[in-house]
Amino acid sequence: MKPIKITNRNIMFTQPVPQWGCDMNLGLILGAKHNFIIDTGFGSGSVKPIMEYIDDDKKPIIVINTHSHWDHLWGNWVFENCPIIAHKLCREILEEHWDASVRELSDFIDGEVHKCLPNVTFEGNMYFPDDGIELFHSPGHSANSISVYDAVDKMLYAGDEIGDTDEEIIPKINTDMATMQSTIALFKQYDFDICISGHNKPQKKDVLGRMDAALQEAWEKQSK
């Protein structure tokens, strides 16, 4: 995992995933009162570089799972004594599917994996005003997706709501196109300069226009 400093308090940790032709990105926000870790990857090995990076920083850690797909949360157990936040539906899905995903995808495990579900859930928005952080529901790629907005550094963490490559800027939609369109419109309401996603390179806000165009093209093809 390679740390890339995006702003003074936002660090992206990235690892190539050759099987997918893209990267895996985890996020770290060094807040005033808390350190926020966004997604936990393939296991303890994925989050080890983050823990080393903040080794001398004693602020409490808050973990955020952007959605229920396995590659975003297998390292949760490292933080089992910390708040691990996700959408309510995310926890419900994981309660049913965690064990099966580990059995079926064990080749991807990095370090150790132990079952550890989110222990704090919400459905609409969640705020950490002292840190300038907002969490909000942003369905599209999945019905339980959430995103993270850093109002201090004008950063948006969109999970997998942005496609894995510039050529496929719309993610796989596991809801429907109308829901995806609504989330793109929601993102436009936030004042951000840079967006970090789960697998693509950092994007500027103009990515939303490209997503709109790509979604419209896909919609037209589907309608024919």
Side-chain angles (χ1 to χ4, degrees), residues 19 44 69 93 98 106 126 166 168 176-177 203 220:
Q19 301 96 314
S44 59
H69 292 164
I93 291 170
W98 181 290
S106 60
M126 181 178 286
D166 284 350
E168 296 184 5
D176 55 71
M177 288 190 178
Q203 302 283 341
E220 290 172 357

Side-chain angles (χ1 to χ4, degrees), residues 170-189:
I170 295 294
K172 180 180 180 182
I173 299 173
N174 295 301
T175 55
D176 55 71
M177 288 190 178
T179 299
M180 186 76 246
Q181 187 176 50
S182 294
T183 286
I184 295 171
L186 177 61
F187 285 161
K188 289 180 179 179
Q189 297 177 22

